[in-house]
Amino acid sequence: MIKEFMSSLWGYLSSTTFSVILLLITAAYSILGTVIPQKESPQVYIKLYGEIFTKFFYFLNWTDIFGSITFRILLTILGLSLFSCSTKRFILALKGKLNLYMWGSFLAHLSILLIFVGAIYGSMFGFLGTAAINKGSMYFEPHGSFFIKLNDFNAKFDKFGRPLDFTSDLSIFENNKEVLRKTIYVNNPLEYKGIKLYQSSYGLNGFLGVTQDRKTEIIPIYKGSCAVFSKTGQMFLIEELFPDISSIHGSEIKTYEPIMPIALIYAHDERGFEEIGWITQSNSVKWKNYNLKLGSVTEYTGLQIKKDPGVLIVYFGFLVLVVGLGVMLYVKH
Amino acid sequence: MSNIESNFLTYAVISYLISMVFYFIFAAFKKDGIGRAATSILVLGFILQTVSILARIAASGRMPFANLYESMTSFAWGIVLIYLIVEITNKTKSIGVVVVPIGFLAALYASTLNKEIEPLMPALKSNWLLFHVGVAVAAYGAFAVSAGTAALYLLKDYLNIKFIPSKEKLDALTYKMIAFALPFMTLVIITGAIWAEEAWGRYWSWDPKETWSLITWLIYLGYMHARLVLKWRGRMAAWLALIGFIAVIFTYLGVNLLLSGLHSYA
């Protein structure tokens, strides 16, 4: 009984009709994942689709399709089907005469399994994280137990203010000794102990000085952050934070160095957020009985930190795939 | 933007338009002279567009692969080139009736886009750009021709129009083009993955562009399995080939125009 069931299951999995249907279902399900915005906050979905659909989407995991159980099951069945299909054909081929085309087909199928294995292996034994490091500061990387220091940050812009280049001069410290120094930029990461550091973003970190009744608080800020004056709970929103005052006059920015930094502040009251004005390190603004002033501002670099021991298996799978397809489709049989 | 570049692109677009009209007339009246003229004008347009692209390369100092205008003119060029090779090796002109309009529309669209030479954004500064877009031109060009032959197959099948070659020939040609293009499409995805790993530290992140290239690939894999193993011939296979090309267009254009993601340049 079980044996019969298993053999009929094997028959299903290894049938081409089943795999074609599976390929097309996977394609169709992936389309959903590109049409519905993924991994957004509930508010975004409610605004786009209304409350009923949002509940429905969450129920079906459609807000994170590629991470959903359904998609994983789909990929697992696809993998099983690939496995049974290729072994069946390989066994058949071994019985007869093995020609080049069969080898190509076998390699092409095997390669997809290799890519799956590499991806799973990488996700089990690797990690992916981010870090924002201020200029001159150090960041402790716990997986490799070393420190990353940002020695310098540079950015160049075109005439529209779009970044052309942004580079981070990084040092790796281990046991209080500098063991590696490299300038990284997009397309040029740094690798140490199998951990890779990628240049992914940049920005400014600073401080806001808020004074009320001779009581001053220094609050850390960045663009988009909300500063809270703890004594009263008053909130201030940092709407903009520019490295230089010239940025707001629309003139060309050349560097990202905060020479004359400037911030646009909103304050929160019973009507919501209202603009209270631009502040600099020398020009403060008053709002109600608060006095706001910009403190020190530094550049930070945004790094993607990752380790993926599965990448080589995936790349090997890519190679096998190209060879297999090439032999199948380009060699005359 | 140099004058040579934009002028020659305009001349090429006009040549493609005239050639297209000649292909239509040839299809209607089957006069050999008209057919020869159609091909000659297409070749002329191809040479003119080649000059335009060379002028672009000279002016920008790199391959024309960095924004929508550059990739669009490259794709139009690739479609015409692959079509010409197919026409000459297969000695059949009627496919041009469907494929030349695709090449013409692509070149026309390219000619309306912003042609300013912009400095490369950080993510594009990589040697992978050349390889990634290069294989895409080959893959998309061949897919365009396969869509043309599949469309002709369906026209023949439903309407039995005389000038169209036999269904067997079209079916075989569609398969041939897809079999040629599939390894290139695979390379498009692989080079994109390796490049993304170098630039962003993720060889796959389900970005809409990535996902749609995978969807396209899966559809063509479905086609190959249906044809090679299930021995599908004819109508169903032709429809699948057409759906595949719609996915190609969406991967290339639709994703950038309708969805947002990391792959925002073209």
Side-chain angles (χ1 to χ4, degrees):
Chain A
M1 179 68 190
I2 291 171
K3 208 177 162 189
E4 268 170 40
F5 173 75
M6 288 307 279
S7 79
S8 74
L9 186 71
W10 181 262
Y12 258 116
L13 279 175
S14 57
S15 86
T16 308
T17 319
F18 182 71
S19 48
V20 170
I21 292 169
L22 216 53
L23 285 176
L24 297 180
I25 290 175
T26 312
Y29 206 65
S30 305
I31 292 175
L32 268 183
T34 66
V35 177
I36 301 168
Q38 297 288 290
K39 294 184 186 172
E40 297 286 352
S41 65
Q43 289 90 321
V44 174
Y45 294 110
I46 292 172
K47 207 172 157 192
L48 277 171
Y49 304 106
E51 224 157 286
I52 298 161
F53 275 105
T54 303
K55 273 192 186 143
F56 184 66
F57 284 3
Y58 272 99
F59 178 69
L60 292 173
N61 258 322
W62 280 4
T63 56
D64 182 15
I65 282 189
F66 303 111
S68 69
I69 299 284
T70 319
F71 197 70
R72 284 187 185 170
I73 292 173
L74 207 57
L75 288 185
T76 311
I77 301 173
L78 199 67
L80 287 174
S81 153
L82 262 166
F83 179 72
S84 53
C85 214
S86 34
T87 40
K88 189 176 93 177
R89 309 180 119 248
F90 197 64
I91 293 164
L92 278 178
L94 280 178
K95 285 179 186 156
K97 229 174 70 202
L98 211 56
N99 62 27
L100 212 54
Y101 177 83
M102 284 169 177
W103 272 111
S105 162
F106 179 68
L107 287 180
H109 286 85
L110 180 77
S111 71
I112 308 295
L113 286 175
L114 274 172
I115 293 167
F116 278 19
V117 168
I120 293 166
Y121 184 76
S123 68
M124 284 170 77
F125 299 103
F127 66 88
L128 183 71
T130 53
I133 310 173
N134 281 352
K135 191 160 142 182
S137 295
M138 287 219 195
Y139 170 86
F140 180 66
E141 208 304 299
H143 302 87
S145 57
F146 54 76
F147 286 90
I148 306 162
K149 186 183 178 196
L150 177 64
N151 302 308
D152 199 8
F153 176 82
N154 274 299
K156 273 190 221 128
F157 301 89
D158 69 6
K159 59 182 175 201
F160 303 107
R162 291 174 303 196
L164 282 175
D165 274 310
F166 46 109
T167 64
S168 300
D169 174 0
L170 300 178
S171 285
I172 305 288
F173 282 87
E174 214 174 10
N175 303 323
N176 291 325
K177 258 180 30 204
E178 185 182 76
V179 287
L180 184 70
R181 183 170 184 165
K182 188 182 175 184
T183 299
I184 67 162
Y185 44 90
V186 182
N187 280 310
N188 186 23
L190 173 158
E191 186 171 358
Y192 184 65
K193 284 166 97 176
I195 296 170
K196 283 185 151 188
L197 311 179
Y198 296 85
Q199 178 74 72
S200 73
S201 63
Y202 61 90
L204 295 173
N205 276 327
F207 291 96
L208 180 70
V210 185
T211 310
Q212 186 215 36
D213 294 340
R214 291 201 202 139
K215 171 95 174 68
T216 299
E217 288 182 19
I218 307 290
I219 308 161
I221 55 161
Y222 52 89
K223 185 186 165 180
S225 74
C226 224
V228 182
F229 188 70
S230 63
K231 199 179 148 210
T232 58
Q234 175 60 48
M235 288 198 291
F236 298 98
L237 174 73
I238 317 307
E239 176 69 13
E240 285 290 359
L241 183 56
F242 289 124
D244 196 76
I245 198 159
S246 61
S247 312
I248 59 165
H249 302 309
S251 59
E252 222 173 291
I253 21 173
K254 289 198 172 66
T255 71
Y256 204 63
E257 220 173 309
I259 303 162
M260 283 255 292
I262 184 165
L264 177 62
I265 312 291
Y266 281 57
H268 191 264
D269 62 10
E270 53 281 359
R271 282 162 298 164
F273 281 104
E274 67 163 330
E275 185 181 323
I276 60 176
W278 293 91
I279 58 167
T280 64
Q281 288 166 337
S282 48
N283 282 319
S284 57
V285 284
K286 278 196 170 58
W287 180 76
K288 293 190 177 164
N289 56 346
Y290 294 92
N291 191 46
L292 288 90
K293 202 171 170 180
L294 193 57
S296 68
V297 173
T298 26
E299 306 110 297
Y300 72 81
T301 185
L303 302 182
Q304 170 114 288
I305 303 177
K306 84 158 219 170
K307 183 181 174 169
D308 187 349
V311 166
L312 280 179
I313 306 173
V314 172
Y315 283 10
F316 182 64
F318 286 168
L319 181 70
V320 175
L321 175 59
V322 173
V323 171
L325 279 181
V327 169
M328 259 183 99
L329 301 173
Y330 287 168
V331 178
K332 273 225 161 76
H333 305 287
Chain B
M1 170 192 51
S2 69
N3 272 335
I4 296 178
E5 179 198 331
S6 72
N7 287 347
F8 273 68
L9 181 59
T10 309
Y11 304 150
V13 171
I14 295 166
S15 308
Y16 292 158
L17 177 67
I18 298 170
S19 164
M20 184 176 95
V21 172
F22 273 71
Y23 273 103
F24 289 157
I25 300 170
F26 171 74
F29 300 106
K30 279 275 171 194
K31 290 261 186 338
D32 280 347
I34 304 282
R36 273 198 298 278
T39 307
S40 311
I41 298 166
L42 188 63
V43 171
L44 174 71
F46 178 74
I47 293 167
L48 294 169
Q49 201 190 355
T50 308
V51 173
S52 163
I53 291 174
L54 288 174
R56 177 73 175 192
I57 294 171
S60 64
R62 52 172 169 77
M63 288 305 280
F65 293 162
N67 59 23
L68 189 58
Y69 158 70
E70 293 184 352
S71 64
M72 188 55 95
T73 188
S74 300
F75 283 130
W77 183 88
I79 291 168
V80 174
L81 174 65
I82 292 177
Y83 168 70
L84 280 170
I85 294 169
V86 170
E87 182 189 304
I88 291 160
T89 54
N90 286 278
K91 298 191 176 59
T92 170
K93 285 188 194 295
S94 39
I95 303 164
V97 177
V98 195
V99 181
V100 174
I102 301 176
F104 162 67
L105 286 176
L108 178 69
Y109 182 42
S111 71
T112 64
L113 293 168
N114 177 16
K115 297 185 189 65
E116 195 177 338
I117 295 174
E118 288 162 356
L120 286 180
M121 56 178 290
L124 290 181
K125 286 178 188 159
S126 164
N127 292 329
W128 286 106
L129 178 64
L130 178 68
F131 197 36
H132 182 62
V133 188
V135 287
V137 169
Y140 291 5
F143 281 142
V145 177
S146 80
T149 52
L152 279 179
Y153 181 99
L154 293 171
L155 280 177
K156 181 86 173 180
D157 198 31
Y158 288 112
L159 305 171
N160 197 20
I161 299 168
K162 234 193 201 152
F163 84 92
I164 300 175
S166 75
K167 288 202 288 191
E168 291 72 30
K169 191 173 180 179
L170 288 169
D171 185 64
L173 207 52
T174 307
Y175 167 73
K176 228 166 121 181
M177 295 319 295
I178 292 175
F180 168 80
L182 190 62
F184 281 98
M185 188 66 204
T186 310
L187 282 174
V188 174
I189 298 174
I190 289 176
T191 53
I194 298 174
W195 187 2
E197 174 74 17
E198 262 177 39
W200 300 312
R202 306 279 305 264
Y203 57 83
W204 197 265
S205 54
W206 297 106
D207 182 80
K209 195 79 163 183
E210 283 171 353
T211 309
W212 268 96
S213 69
L214 181 70
I215 291 164
T216 306
W217 194 68
L218 290 175
I219 294 171
Y220 282 114
L221 279 189
Y223 173 91
M224 293 303 277
H225 281 88
R227 190 132 191 318
L228 288 174
V229 190
L230 303 179
K231 308 291 174 197
W232 280 19
R233 292 290 182 275
R235 203 178 276 184
M236 289 288 276
W239 276 114
L240 205 50
L242 266 189
I243 292 169
F245 189 61
I246 293 169
V248 168
I249 295 175
F250 198 82
T251 303
Y252 174 47
L253 278 178
V255 170
N256 292 87
L257 299 178
L258 303 172
L259 308 170
S260 62
L262 279 171
H263 202 286
S264 54
Y265 10 86

